[in-house]
Amino acid sequence: MTDKKETKEKQKKEKETKKEKPKEEKKEVKKVAKKAPDFKIDVDEMLAVGVHFGHRTSRLHPKMEPYLAGVKNTVHIIDLEKTAEKLKEALKFIQEIISENKVLLLVGTKIQIKDLVKEIAQECELPYVNERWLGGTLTNFEVISKRVGYLKEIEEKKASGAWEKYTKKERIKMNREFQNLKTKFEGLKTLSRVPDTMFVLDIRKDDLAVKEAKMKGIKVIAICDTNTDPSLIDYPIPANDDAISSVKYILEKVKEAILKTKAK
């Protein structure tokens, strides 16, 4: 009788253990799911702001084919499910960079997005280039740093009133030089070393920036329209790089990801 009771008790315990294990596993899965970043990327929102519009079919770069959904009125349509997937990957990488106190440089020199680039960069405390990319910004960083240092020096002198001792004609000439330097280097004043990562908003317009980043082994995140080569980029985001609304949507997501990381 005792043996039968012991056997029944063992079997009961085994059943209870089996029932408990899946519950524990489920709890662990839930914990992991909570930790995963939620970037709230909505395909309908992207559709509304024109992220899906590519270029004419005649301008397609063959390596962008995997990111296409079809053609409408001779214009390629980008697959927004793939855009969402790639954008999440890029945002996750950006959060890692920021959490490790590494430097992200924002580059966008198209006339229509210059102000937007400056605004987002300043809100996120990022160095930026929103005017013409100067050759050697990364490959000849020491020279660029000296020019940035000179800009800071002139700025300090102007703020302290040291310019007052010069004649009006001299001050006009000095101010012209100051404005020229400010246009070129204003966004780089916080860049004390070569950046770890670069976010480029148009890789055709700023192809030199991408080339220099590759030469220096710097990771590149970029918006890739249908006329570009995504294989040049470490974290490509297939999207419309011409429409301000499209670029703004992506930059707002970048801003949210950065500010959330900094707030932790």
Side-chain angles (χ1 to χ4, degrees):
M1 288 290 289
T2 310
D3 291 342
K4 282 183 180 179
K5 277 185 182 180
E6 284 177 3
T7 306
K8 281 181 181 179
E9 281 175 14
K10 278 182 184 179
Q11 285 174 347
K12 202 175 182 181
K13 280 180 184 179
E14 281 175 9
K15 282 180 183 179
E16 284 172 3
T17 308
K18 282 177 184 178
K19 283 179 183 177
E20 283 171 8
K21 277 185 179 179
K23 286 179 184 177
E24 286 171 11
E25 285 170 7
K26 281 178 185 178
K27 282 179 185 178
E28 283 175 18
V29 170
K30 282 181 183 177
K31 282 179 184 177
V32 172
K34 282 180 183 177
K35 286 180 182 178
D38 179 18
F39 300 115
K40 295 178 183 176
I41 294 164
D42 191 315
V43 169
D44 290 332
E45 281 179 19
M46 287 194 286
L47 195 69
V49 295
V51 174
H52 60 301
F53 288 120
H55 287 274
R56 289 190 176 277
T57 52
S58 57
R59 296 179 64 188
L60 175 69
H61 192 290
K63 290 185 180 177
M64 277 299 292
E65 283 184 1
Y67 302 109
L68 302 179
V71 177
K72 188 177 181 181
N73 299 327
T74 72
V75 171
H76 272 122
I77 302 301
I78 296 164
D79 186 338
L80 291 180
E81 291 291 346
K82 289 180 180 176
T83 300
E85 182 189 323
K86 289 294 181 180
L87 181 53
K88 284 176 186 175
E89 284 176 19
L91 293 174
K92 191 179 176 185
F93 177 64
I94 287 169
Q95 286 191 323
E96 287 170 11
I97 288 294
I98 300 301
S99 65
E100 292 168 8
N101 293 317
K102 290 182 178 178
V103 181
L104 172 65
L105 175 64
L106 184 60
V107 181
T109 63
K110 274 183 177 174
I111 293 170
Q112 63 266 39
I113 61 167
K114 281 181 183 181
D115 292 340
L116 180 62
V117 169
K118 185 177 179 179
E119 181 190 322
I120 297 289
Q122 288 180 341
E123 285 181 44
C124 298
E125 299 179 324
L126 300 177
Y128 65 92
V129 174
N130 69 335
E131 294 293 334
R132 185 173 65 89
W133 177 270
L134 297 173
T137 298
L138 301 179
T139 54
N140 204 0
F141 187 71
E142 284 183 21
V143 173
I144 297 295
S145 292
K146 284 176 184 175
R147 299 302 290 161
V148 172
Y150 183 49
L151 167 62
K152 288 179 182 176
E153 191 182 312
I154 293 175
E155 212 165 30
E156 284 168 13
K157 283 180 181 178
K158 189 180 181 183
S160 67
W163 280 25
E164 296 305 315
K165 64 182 179 181
Y166 297 100
T167 65
K168 187 179 178 181
K169 191 178 179 180
E170 284 172 327
R171 286 201 302 271
I172 289 169
K173 189 179 177 182
M174 288 163 69
N175 194 57
R176 198 178 294 127
E177 184 187 20
F178 171 62
Q179 291 302 328
N180 184 39
L181 286 167
K182 198 174 178 183
T183 300
K184 290 177 180 176
F185 305 112
E186 175 74 14
L188 299 177
K189 286 196 311 188
T190 59
L191 192 65
S192 57
R193 60 183 177 84
V194 173
D196 302 284
T197 310
M198 193 162 68
F199 194 120
V200 184
L201 301 176
D202 185 333
I203 63 173
R204 280 175 70 88
K205 178 82 165 62
D206 293 306
D207 61 328
L208 184 56
V210 176
K211 283 175 187 172
E212 288 194 26
K214 290 284 134 189
M215 286 169 74
K216 297 295 288 183
I218 295 167
K219 294 281 185 185
V220 180
I221 308 158
I223 296 176
C224 292
D225 211 326
T226 57
N227 62 337
T228 64
D229 182 357
S231 68
L232 298 172
I233 308 304
D234 299 285
Y235 291 88
I237 303 165
N240 182 346
D241 65 9
D242 291 310
I244 298 173
S245 55
S246 172
V247 176
K248 188 176 181 181
Y249 177 87
I250 292 167
L251 282 180
E252 285 294 335
K253 290 299 175 186
V254 169
K255 183 178 85 171
E256 285 170 26
I258 289 172
L259 294 180
K260 271 185 184 178
T261 307
K262 285 188 173 184
K264 286 179 183 178

